[in-house]
Each structure stands twice: as C-alpha cells, then as structure tokens.
Amino acid sequence: MEKYNHKKIEKKWQKRWEIDEPYKAEDFSEKEKSYLLIEFPYPSGDGLHVGHSRPYIGMDVIARKRRAEGKNVLYPIGWDAFGLPTENYALKTGIHPKEVTKKNTDTFRKQIKSLGISFDWSREINTTDPKYYKWTQWIFLQLFKKGLAYKASVAINWCLSCKIGLANEEVIGGRCERCGGETEKRQKEQWMLAIRKYAERLDKDLDDVDYIESIKIQQRNWIGKSNGAEIEFRIKNNKSRIKVFTTRPDTLFGSTYMILAPEHKLVQELKSQISNFGEIEKYIDDTKKKTEIERTAEGKEKTGVELKGVKAINPANKEEIPIYIADYVMVGYGTGAIMAVPAHDQRDFEFAKKFDLPIKMVVCPHYPAPTCPVLDEAYTNEGHLVVSGEFDGMENDEAGGKITKFVGGEMKTTYKLRDWVFSRQRYWGEPIPIIHCDKCGFVAVPEECLPVELPDIKDYKPTDSGESPLVKAEEWVNVKCPKCNRAGKRETDVMPNWAGSSWYYLRYTDSNNDKAFADEKNLKYWIPVDWYNGGMEHTTLHLLYSRFWHKFLYDIKVVPTHEPYQKRTSHGLILAEGGEKMSKSKGNVINPDEIVEIFGADALRMYEMFMGPFDQAIAWSTDNIVGVRRFLEKVWRLQEKVSDNKFDFNILLDGAIKKVGDDIEAMKFNTAVSSLMILANAYDAHKNFSKENYSILLILLAPFAPHVAEELWEKIGNKSSILKEKWPEYDISKTIVDKVQIAVQVNGKVRATVGILVDEDEESVKEKAISNDNVKKWTEDKEIKKVMYFKGKIVSIVTN
RNA sequence: GCCGGGAUGGUGAAAUUGGUAUACACGCAAGACUUAAAAUUUUGUGGGCGUAAGCCCGUGUGGGUUCGAUUCCCACUCCCGGCACCA
C-alpha cells in the first residue's frame, strides 16, 4: 500500500477541480437552490491566518453536503478591499493601494484555494473594482434622491499634531495611536445616511428571520426602541423651552433638576443669562476629550456644572428647578436633555447625591405611604404615586400617559440607533458621487457617468484642514455642474468600508452584469441568502447596515424580498496558542500555509472542525492536529480491509449517517467528526468489511476531507468523482434498540444499573430495581417511601 | 459601565436540553513490535481512601427548586465579543 501522501493527493485533486469546476452554481436550475454565504475577507497584508478559514471550512462542509443532497448550491467569495489598513500602508510606503490590494488578494486567493474550499470562483468580486463600486455609488445616489443621504455636522476624533481624522480604534486613552499626541472631538460636516427612518422595521422584521437569538437581542438593544413621552419645560425669564424625552413621565413631579448635554445648542443660546459661562466652557472642553464609554460609564463619579442664573420650571408642579450640563447626557439620544428624577433613576440619584440636590420620591411601593423612606439607591420598581397632586394614589403604570397629557406633552417612541456617518476624509474608498455647485447645491452625478473613479494620486495624507487627500487632485475635483453647467467641485469625501459590504451578496447572483447591479431574474432566483454565517463582532454594524440597504432597495423595488438573509449564525474566533488574539504585532499568527505543508489541507480542515464548538472562541493548538492526521491515516489504511466478507455494521452506520448529517446542519462539526472517528474505529476493530460500508464512510468524510476522500474513492475502483455521489440515507428503525441498561438511583445517587426491555412494564422494572443486590444494600434498614420509573430513562427510589 | 456570550479531567472538549458526568481526541504511564528510534499497536488514566469489592468528593463561587441539576432560579467572580470612523 502506498503511503498517505497529502501533498500529492491535494495537488492532484485541486488541479482536477480547477478544470472540471464542480462547484459552479447554476442560475435558474430546476434543483432546489441553496445560497450559502460567508463574510468576504478584507485582504490584509498579513495574509490569511487560520482564524479566517474556520468559517469558510464550516460553511464548505455544509455546501458539500447539500450538493450531495442534490441542491443547487451558490457558495461565492470576493474581497472587501477598501479600508484603512491598506491606506495607512500606502501612506507609509507610497505604494498605490491598488497595487497592494492586488498583491494581497493574489495571496489570499492562492491560500484559500490550497484549502480546497468549494467556492464558485467564477463569481469572484472585489469592492475596489470600478465595475463593482459603480453600483455602490449607484445605490448611494438612489438614497440621495430619496432624501436618505444628507449632510450634517458630526463630532469626529481629531489628532492635533497629525491633523488627521481618526477612527475610534486609533484613539488609545485619548491619544493618537500613531504619534501619541493629544486628540479631541471636532465638529465636521459629514454625509449621513438616515438609517433611523428604518429603525422600526429593522426591529420588527427580526421576527421574520431565522437568526440565532443572541443576534436578534443584540440588534434590538442596539436599535434601542423605547416608548416614552416628550415634555417641554419652560425656562424662567426666557422664551426658550427645553424639550426632554423620558420613559418615566409618571415621575415628573419628582423631577428636581434638569440636565443638558454639554453640546446642547441651548447652552450657547442662554449664554447671556449664565453667570458662570467660563466654567461651563471649560467643562465643554473637557468633555470633548472623553470617549463616549468614559462619559456614560455607570458607577463612575458623576461630573457636571450648574448653569447659574438660569432656572427651569417643572411643568407639573411649577417649581423652579436648576439646570446643569453633564457629560452623561448625550446630545444624540432623545432630545439631548433630560428631566432628572433622582429618586427613580440611578444615574440621576448618583448625580443628586454628589451635588446635594433634593431627592423627591413620587412612586412608593405602599399607598398611602406612612413616610417616604430614605433611599440609598434609586427606586425603579412600580408603585403608587405620592406628592403628585391630583395623581396621588394612581398606579404609576397608568399615570405616565395622564401626566403627559396634563402637561401638554406627547407620547413618543425613540430609538437609540443613530444615523450612519457615511463620510471618510480618506483616499481608499468609493468616491461619493456628488458635485457641489454654488447655485444648485449638492447635485447627483448623472447615472450614466458612473462610476466616479478614484483618481491616481501620490500623496495620501489628508490636508491640514482635515479634508480628504482627493482635494489635491484638482483636475478631478473641478468639474462642471451637471445641472447648470457652471463650475462645480466634486465631493472629496469617500465612503466607509461598510458601503461595499452592504450589498455584495446581491452582486454574487450576477457578478459580471454591467447593465444593473444584478439582473432581476437572478435576484429572484437566488435571494434571499439562505444561510449567512459570520462573526458576532459584525452583529450591530455590518449586519444592520446591510439589512438597511436591502430594505431600501426593496422599497424602490429592485430586490424581491424585504430581508436579505434568511438565517444567520456565528463562528467563534480562533485565538493564538496562549489564548490571546492573533495579531501580527504580537507575532503569534498561525499561517495556514505551514500547516497545509506539514499536515495537509484535509488535516487542517478536520482539525478546525474538530477543535471545539464552532460558535465558541478557541485557542489554536498545533499539537492537537496529530489526532485528526492519525484519523485520516487510519481511514487510508482501512482501504486494505475492504473485501467481500460482510460484517453487518448497519445499526452503527445508520446512527452515524443520521448523526453526521444532523450535526453538520446544526454546525456541530466537532461531534460530527467524532462520530466519523467512532465509525472508523469500529471498522478498524474488524478484519474486514464490505466496499459498501467503506464507501459510506468516504461519502460522509468527503465534506470534511475532500481530497483524501476523492483519492480513496478512486482507489476502491470508482471512475466518477465522489462529488457526484448522493448523500446516504438511513433507516431510523434500525437504530432503535429494544434492550437497554438503565440506572437505579437511591435518594438521588446512582447505586446500580439493571438491564430491561424498552417496553417492559413499569411494575416489572421496579421489581428488578428493588431486588438488585446493590440497591438492597442501600435500602435494607430503611423504609422505601417511593419508587419512580421514568420510561427508558431511570428508576428513582426514595427512602426515609 | 451597558448589551451579548462563556467557564466541565493535565489539555481541546462530550452529555439525546432535568435522568448513569467526562464520548471523541491530545497528553501522560506501562507493555508489544524493533538492534534502536520513529511509526503502529495493547492497556490504563477526574481527585481522595482502599489489596480489593467499594465508599466519599467532583461540572467557576455561594445559595435555592427537585426523587434527581453541567442543564432551571437568585446572587457573585473571572474570561471573550460589541459599544457606532478597525474590518
């Protein structure tokens, strides 16, 4: 027998597949379609690492199994190639991002192919390809035309010494990651997308999709729908009003002060009336230096400053109350102002304690309240109203709406979800297809002029004013206004990386179309994606953004469904051997190339499926690969035991077929592999077995280790590929057994096992249990109070 | 801090979702084969006590519900993901 030579085998079959293209999906096939999707990679300069491949392999196993079941599987791949790291690399080296991207995608492609993933390469896409981003720009224009893209002033991170806008990730402890210099928040005009307009549907339509529960919960929390009331407070000696949003209008009588976000525009408007404005300005300055997490952390010491000289009037009881600014109130949520009710909100409570403000309890658990208790934390449960005028005694649930009406407020639903900041003052992204004209304002680039291609430039550094480096490409910037033909200027901001990834799954259905982002018929056939697997880290941004774009496209009637993905699951990260995150800077990245070289792609694939639960983070261990490698060698050796001599493995086989199939669909790949091992071990324990039995093992193995399965399939005399074989069926009746060993517990502890027939009657089983010698030892001096038999499971005896 | 996960032998983990905890692997120990090593293979392997039969303890911690809890409930500790310009 030849030795198992993974290098030779893998090369042979990969070459064969390259020619035969067995993984090509067929548009409009009669077969049932199955569109399986993984998150397309960002082709970083570090190359593929073993963590990337885990989801690809997992979904590949499913794809291969479903093809064997006769489905028309679409399993595509592409590159999400715009983004910061490539641009930063260009900044450092001067090499054009286009070249870097080309090099990186070539590396990734080669690496992925070496793993034998059954992607349909004929549909490969790249978000940086003008033929692709033409349609990203087209979608943006549709959003713009419907008023869903607009400009607004937004705070961004700004490095004072690099004079460059920074991603949150590039700000470490308030300092710039690259130069270590100070950063601050700076207001800047940005393109925004009105995702909030879709908040309600993004929340509600989660009911219609099959996402794992934790994703639904996280998305819902992120959207943050809450029902409450908007109430206006008058300001003493001033015409301005402060509008607040509150989920607890029932506690209005207990509002003893108000808080504005430091950025609230009223702070500036009230300037002349405020006697300590210097102090206020200093506080606003300090706020600019803090991150949102720092600002809102509960338990953190509350800070704030009173607007001296200004008072608000509580509309319920007409009391004069002070107004503060404090950084725990955010300008972007609700109205950017709150009525503080320290007795019934923990953060208000902490603030009131610190600033010695009155804490007035207006909801009491007992009514009539004997005396209001002294609180050591906010009381947030339900109760009856007190000190609330005509509402006294009312249940607080009921009072909210009535009090709102009483003060002329209105019930309102708000969402925490914020509109999407869509501008980046960068180079390596899709140009935003807008022309600025002094006369006509923002004018859409005519669709026939798309794509607006990125011009070649040499210097990728943003200008000192923070504008995109594209400003320097004067020829490109200066164009005529498409409307009035006067001099205009192109928008120089580019889109964020999320743009291209918000619709890529649509492009796969028809990736070479140059008349539309995809043909209507292709979309109708393939969409929705049947199963999308990705990382939990994409739950609230990418996944939500793409649902938003899809819904918009549905509204303008260019996609056939209101949701893009029918099912969403997640995979866990692969960590470095020590349990830390893999990163180039830590030097702990495992490159799959070495593993493929030493152990083979099949062993790598099997190991990644076997290493642990697919949805859990797990540390890599090169030592443990030998286990699956030995298993593959065992399967290899088993070819010698194939003979006409038949041993009946049927019960075991039917169980294995069921288990492997069910586990694959449930992404319990680790236990699927273990049942393959059990099956192989059982074969190995016999002198020989039939070719049929061995064939089933190979077919079940093929999704995990396709190369060696093909090779062995050929070796046992098959002319056609194992990829053409049907997934085996099983007969469940064979897996049912009639005799079982069940445990007997005495007072909750297992003391014996007895053999019974599955449908043996209760009395007889109990009798067997009680008369068992081991059981007798534990019951003889005692009185048996109760004997319970749970059919086919256990006998439980209770004594005194 | 907030939201979502997780914690089981020396290690990765399994457990039909309330019914015999530790399947399948890794590692380790002893044996076989070999001049030897590797490979392969056999046996053993949660901790403690015991020659043994067996007993006690044991699924992050502390409580609870139950005939019975890794699984359900309450409180807590630690770890991981996300927190809106990383992808």
Side-chain angles (χ1 to χ4, degrees), chain A residues 220-238:
Chain A
R220 287 213 158 100
N221 289 340
W222 185 260
I223 294 166
K225 178 176 177 171
S226 74
N227 295 315
E230 259 185 20
I231 295 169
E232 277 191 345
F233 282 57
R234 279 179 34 229
I235 300 173
K236 196 182 170 194
N237 302 327
N238 195 299

Side-chain angles (χ1 to χ4, degrees), chain A residues 462-597:
Chain A
T463 63
D464 288 353
S465 63
E467 283 177 287
S468 155
L470 285 173
V471 167
K472 296 177 222 167
E474 284 179 29
E475 257 181 61
W476 180 82
V477 170
N478 293 304
V479 286
K480 288 194 173 145
C481 168
K483 257 193 195 162
C484 69
N485 219 28
R486 277 194 253 191
K489 279 184 189 299
R490 282 191 195 279
E491 170 63 60
T492 56
D493 284 358
V494 299
M495 300 185 196
N497 170 271
W498 311 109
S501 60
S502 288
W503 71 280
Y504 73 112
Y505 57 93
L506 298 170
R507 187 65 177 169
Y508 284 138
T509 67
D510 193 11
S511 56
N512 296 309
N513 194 326
D514 52 11
K515 305 261 178 343
F517 65 84
D519 192 274
E520 210 181 317
K521 287 204 292 291
N522 294 58
L523 292 167
K524 187 123 206 253
Y525 181 78
W526 288 112
I527 298 297
V529 171
D530 293 280
W531 192 340
Y532 188 20
N533 183 78
M536 276 314 280
E537 69 274 19
H538 291 113
T539 302
T540 50
L541 298 181
H542 160 65
L543 196 62
L544 204 63
Y545 289 152
S546 63
R547 288 183 61 221
F548 159 51
W549 273 34
H550 192 91
K551 285 183 177 305
F552 168 72
L553 294 172
Y554 176 70
D555 289 348
I556 62 168
K557 301 191 166 55
V558 293
V559 298
T561 61
H562 72 106
E563 283 286 339
Y565 318 116
Q566 188 49 47
K567 176 172 176 170
R568 169 84 182 187
T569 52
S570 82
H571 59 261
L573 290 177
I574 293 185
L575 307 169
E577 300 230 22
E580 281 187 304
K581 221 170 167 174
M582 278 191 203
S583 78
K584 205 183 182 183
S585 58
K586 285 186 191 133
N588 56 10
V589 175
I590 307 279
N591 186 321
D593 297 353
E594 304 160 28
I595 308 296
V596 168
E597 171 76 17

Side-chain angles (χ1 to χ4, degrees), chain A residues 5-43:
Chain A
N5 179 340
H6 65 263
K7 284 190 201 167
K8 194 174 137 199
I9 294 171
E10 287 169 8
K11 211 170 132 195
K12 168 181 166 187
W13 290 101
Q14 282 170 17
K15 216 162 149 190
R16 189 83 57 93
W17 296 332
E18 198 78 32
I19 296 161
D20 296 349
E21 299 191 296
Y23 310 126
K24 243 179 149 165
E26 190 192 335
D27 294 329
F28 321 121
S29 156
E30 296 275 296
K31 291 181 189 171
E32 187 189 339
K33 69 103 183 177
S34 190
Y35 184 175
L36 308 176
L37 185 66
I38 44 96
E39 286 163 347
F40 62 161
Y42 177 78

